[in-house]
């Protein structure tokens, strides 16, 4: 039962949700207070996404109740009533890219803009009302630009403003930082804190536990579709939080690697760049990665790290310089040539660059080897399924089988399918850009273990990331700031010195 002076922004009690024989939620509860940032954490499959679907009105629970501000949730199907209570800002933006910011703000609610009625819309008034709305919530975005021109961070702010314009006082943030750099994260967190002071409540879903401790005052843990605990963040150590999520005694997610092997270094590099540069992104860069080595490239996307990763794999063309794999120069800006040269790629955004979401697990896992799955360029379904089964087993992908739609998998297992595709051609060098974005603690450890194993088998890997846990498996780490290498680290660096280097205040070592 709820207690306290003010009713909860949302209170869910005894929620049960089944999908066929699968129990997705087993009597869980959640309470978020007005003006509170409340984290909901748990491994993939714990029930977080299903709970969000229940409290946003997308799914009706089989048992239990949901209340907003002490009043029962609206009737299911009454979209307008639900929008006045709660909104979700998903990891994947829900704005319509070809519409302007103003049009997105009042989409399906042009009458609510005060800019028209019926079939007539006063566009000038609409833009004026949008500007007022954005300014009222401190969102510095031009209402006349098309949504496709916005940054990820700006799209999130627009979605939050849209939700508040409907009257919602509870905002669900679903992995909101997965595609933001460090500065973008801090600006988002600043905006959340401002809105909390106005009484807006936030349910924050993230796999990055340091963000939970930075932003949230309370946390709820689900495990295996059940409620494990709810506590004040200040009263819960990180070790205890990880233990609650996994059901195991807390363990270190990653271990330091021993460092570069001198004999391997003498054998010559697997990957080499020569004076590689991209105007506006990073200055000329010479890299060497030897057999058995994982090289880390640390820094925010704005420092040129993502651009570097995309050039290595042929997604973009460099302004100057070259990429060489085992003595072969890779044709600039050519993904097919990068594949032929022996480069595998784990992209930053699995939804936009990693998966064909209308296809099955098997089809996604075998995209890069389709020509090898039958005679004369044909693709034999039996070979596709057999190849996919071997990858499913090797990477421990939790799926009902090769034919399952990839959209039916959890985020961590979707990422494993992306990894399977990258490994399908037995690449000489694996390039992974923020490979654990949006996955849980266990999946993160598993994915980084795969990258480490590629190097340990005598090949090489490059991890491009600003996530410290991603970089702990590396033999060396180069820190980029504003497109320049500002520091180089061997194994055993401290969080403080690496973060300082990525922020441009560290010293070379």
């Amino acid at each position: 039962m709820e207690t306290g002076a003010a009713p909860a922004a949302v209170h869910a009690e005894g929620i049960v949700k089944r999908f066929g024989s699968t129990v997705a939620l087993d009597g869980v509860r959640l309470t978020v207070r007005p003006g509170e940032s409340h984290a909901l954490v748990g491994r993939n499959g714990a029930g977080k996404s299903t709970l969000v679907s229940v409290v946003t009105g997308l799914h009706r629970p089989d048992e239990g109740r949901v209340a907003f501000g002490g009043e029962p949730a609206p009737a299911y199907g009454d979209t307008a009533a639900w929008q006045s209570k709660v909104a979700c800002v998903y990891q994947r933006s829900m704005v319509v890219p070809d519409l302007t910011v103003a049009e997105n703000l009042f989409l399906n609610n042009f009458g609510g803009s005060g800019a028209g009625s019926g079939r007539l819309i006063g566009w000038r008034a609409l833009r004026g009302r949008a500007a007022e709305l954005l300014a009222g919530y401190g969102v510095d975005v031009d209402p006349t630009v098309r949504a496709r021109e916005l940054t990820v961070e700006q799209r999130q702010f627009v979605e939050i403003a849209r939700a508040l314009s409907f009257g919602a006082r509870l905002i669900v943030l679903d992995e909101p930082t997965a595609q933001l750099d460090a500065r973008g994260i801090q600006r988002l967190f600043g905006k959340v804190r401002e809105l909390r002071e106005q009484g807006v409540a936030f349910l924050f879903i993230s796999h990055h536990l340091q963000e939970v401790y930075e932003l949230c005052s309370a946390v709820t843990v689900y495990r295996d579709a059940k409620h494990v605990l709810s506590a004040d963040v200040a009263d819960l150590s990180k070790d205890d939080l990880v233990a609650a999520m996994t059901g195991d005694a807390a363990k270190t997610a990653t271990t330091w690697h021993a460092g570069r092997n001198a004999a391997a270094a003498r054998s010559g590099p697997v990957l080499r760049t020569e004076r590689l540069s991209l105007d506006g992104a990073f200055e000329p860069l010479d890299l060497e990665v030897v057999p058995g080595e994982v090289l880390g490239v640390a820094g925010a996307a704005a420092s040129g790290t993502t651009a570097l990763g995309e050039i290595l794999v042929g997604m973009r063309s460099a302004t100057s310089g070259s990429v060489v794999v085992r003595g072969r120069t890779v044709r600039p800006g050519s993904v097919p040539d990068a594949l032929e040269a022996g480069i595998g790629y784990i992209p930053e955004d699995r939804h936009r660059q990693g998966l064909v979401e209308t296809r099955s697990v098997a089809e996604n896992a075998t995209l890069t080897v389709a020509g090898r799955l039958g005679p004369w360029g044909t693709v034999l379904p039996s070979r596709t399924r057999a190849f996919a089964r071997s990858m499913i087993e090797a990477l421990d992908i939790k799926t009902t089988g090769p034919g399952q739609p990839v959209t039916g998998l959890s985020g961590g297992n979707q990422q494993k399918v992306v990894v399977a595709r990258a490994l399908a051609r037995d690449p000489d060098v694996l390039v992974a850009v923020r490979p654990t974005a949006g996955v849980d603690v266990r999946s993160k450890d598993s994915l980084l273990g795969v990258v480490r194993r590629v190097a340990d088998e005598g090949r090489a890997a490059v991890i491009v990331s600003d996530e410290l846990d991603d970089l702990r498996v590396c033999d060396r780490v180069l820190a980029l700031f504003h497109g320049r290498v500002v520091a180089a680290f061997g194994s055993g660096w401290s969080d403080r010195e690496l973060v300082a280097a990525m922020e441009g205040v560290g010293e070379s070592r």
Side-chain angles (χ1 to χ4, degrees):
M1 199 64 132
E2 296 177 38
T3 60
V10 65
H11 178 71
E13 184 73 36
I15 304 297
V16 175
K17 183 63 185 177
R18 304 180 185 87
F19 297 98
S21 60
T22 300
V23 180
L25 293 172
D26 189 4
V28 302
R29 63 183 183 275
L30 175 74
T31 302
V32 183
R33 297 288 173 189
E36 178 180 66
S37 288
H38 193 117
L40 177 61
V41 301
R43 294 171 54 195
N44 288 323
K48 305 186 301 296
S49 296
T50 305
L51 188 279
V52 169
S53 295
V54 168
V55 300
T56 56
L58 297 179
H59 284 146
R60 186 197 304 266
D62 298 310
E63 299 176 29
R65 64 186 184 89
V66 177
F68 296 98
E71 299 179 356
Y76 286 87
D78 188 346
T79 302
W82 281 93
Q83 287 179 327
S84 71
K85 303 294 185 183
V86 59
C88 184
V89 178
Y90 293 96
Q91 179 179 340
R92 298 178 64 196
S93 176
M94 301 300 286
V95 299
V96 181
D98 289 329
L99 296 183
T100 67
V101 170
E103 290 164 342
N104 270 284
L105 282 172
F106 297 110
L107 189 63
N108 297 326
N109 187 37
F110 287 113
S113 70
S117 59
R119 297 184 178 182
L120 298 176
I121 298 173
W123 293 106
R124 179 178 297 179
L126 179 77
R127 290 189 289 270
R129 177 70 185 101
E132 292 175 8
L133 179 66
L134 294 168
Y137 294 119
V139 178
D140 184 17
V141 174
D142 183 349
T144 66
V145 303
R146 298 203 180 277
R148 76 164 83 89
E149 299 173 25
L150 302 180
T151 65
V152 172
E153 174 191 348
Q154 288 173 325
R155 289 196 294 269
Q156 290 177 338
F157 287 164
V158 168
E159 291 189 73
I160 291 172
R162 172 177 163 81
L164 296 174
S165 74
F166 281 99
R169 305 301 287 172
L170 172 68
I171 308 294
V172 181
L173 299 177
D174 186 5
E175 296 292 347
T177 66
Q179 297 177 49
L180 298 178
D181 62 22
R183 290 181 179 82
I185 291 170
Q186 291 309 310
R187 285 191 291 267
L188 173 64
F189 286 4
K191 182 59 61 183
V192 169
R193 294 185 183 104
E194 288 176 16
L195 293 171
R196 284 176 54 189
E197 293 178 359
Q198 301 175 29
V200 179
F202 289 87
L203 179 61
F204 182 70
I205 299 174
S206 177
H207 292 301
H208 302 310
L209 300 187
Q210 73 274 17
E211 295 176 355
V212 170
Y213 282 85
E214 181 176 354
L215 181 68
C216 299
S217 56
V219 60
T220 290
V221 180
Y222 288 175
R223 186 176 72 242
D224 298 331
K226 296 181 180 180
H227 177 277
V228 176
L229 65 81
S230 292
D232 290 339
V233 170
D235 297 335
L236 193 64
S237 73
K238 292 182 181 179
D239 284 349
D240 288 342
L241 180 55
V242 171
M245 292 169 60
T246 63
D248 300 329
K251 299 176 182 178
T252 301
T254 55
T255 57
W256 294 106
H257 199 64
R260 213 176 190 196
N261 181 282
R266 288 194 298 271
S267 70
V270 179
L271 173 72
R272 185 175 80 254
T273 70
E274 298 176 346
R275 305 297 291 168
L276 192 69
S277 70
L278 180 64
D279 288 349
F282 60 89
E283 298 178 3
L285 185 62
D286 295 324
L287 299 177
E288 284 194 356
V289 193
V290 300
E293 183 179 35
V294 180
L295 174 69
V297 179
S303 286
T305 56
T306 299
L308 172 62
E310 292 179 345
I311 286 172
L312 292 178
V313 301
M315 295 286 291
R316 302 176 69 170
S317 292
T319 303
S320 63
S322 60
V323 177
V324 181
V325 177
R326 295 198 186 275
R328 169 180 169 171
T329 300
V330 182
R331 189 185 314 140
S334 172
V335 172
D337 200 61
L339 286 171
E340 287 299 321
I343 298 176
Y345 179 39
I346 303 174
E348 177 179 12
D349 186 342
R350 63 176 173 268
H351 299 291
R352 185 169 61 89
Q353 296 177 320
L355 297 170
V356 181
E357 297 189 336
T358 57
R359 300 294 184 178
S360 67
V361 171
E363 290 169 310
N364 273 278
T366 58
L367 280 173
T368 60
V369 292
R372 305 178 183 181
L373 298 174
W376 304 294
T378 61
V379 178
L380 298 178
S382 59
R383 290 193 187 180
T384 300
R385 289 192 297 270
F387 187 94
R389 286 193 187 97
S390 69
M391 299 303 289
I392 289 169
E393 181 177 353
L395 296 175
D396 191 28
I397 301 172
K398 304 300 183 185
T399 175
T400 58
Q404 181 179 4
V406 74
T407 51
L409 303 183
S410 68
N413 285 300
Q414 287 180 347
Q415 189 73 344
K416 288 181 181 180
V417 173
V418 175
V419 173
R421 189 182 72 185
L423 298 179
R425 297 175 67 97
D426 294 321
D428 288 309
V429 57
L430 180 63
V431 177
V433 179
R434 294 175 179 83
T436 66
V439 303
D440 63 51
V441 173
R442 280 283 184 84
S443 294
K444 177 184 289 191
D445 196 31
S446 175
L447 289 165
L448 294 173
V450 170
V451 177
R452 183 70 255 174
R453 190 163 65 245
V454 168
D456 291 343
E457 291 171 353
R459 294 174 282 171
V462 177
I463 294 178
V464 177
S465 184
D466 52 3
E467 283 291 324
L468 300 184
D469 282 345
D470 290 355
L471 299 166
R472 287 187 222 282
V473 300
C474 299
D475 302 284
R476 290 185 298 137
V477 177
L478 303 179
L480 265 65
F481 179 72
H482 286 178
R484 291 188 304 110
V485 175
V486 294
F489 301 92
S491 183
W493 41 264
S494 73
D495 291 3
R496 181 197 59 78
E497 61 186 352
L498 181 54
V499 170
M502 288 191 289
E503 293 296 326
V505 295
E507 297 180 0
S508 263
R509 110 178 194 191

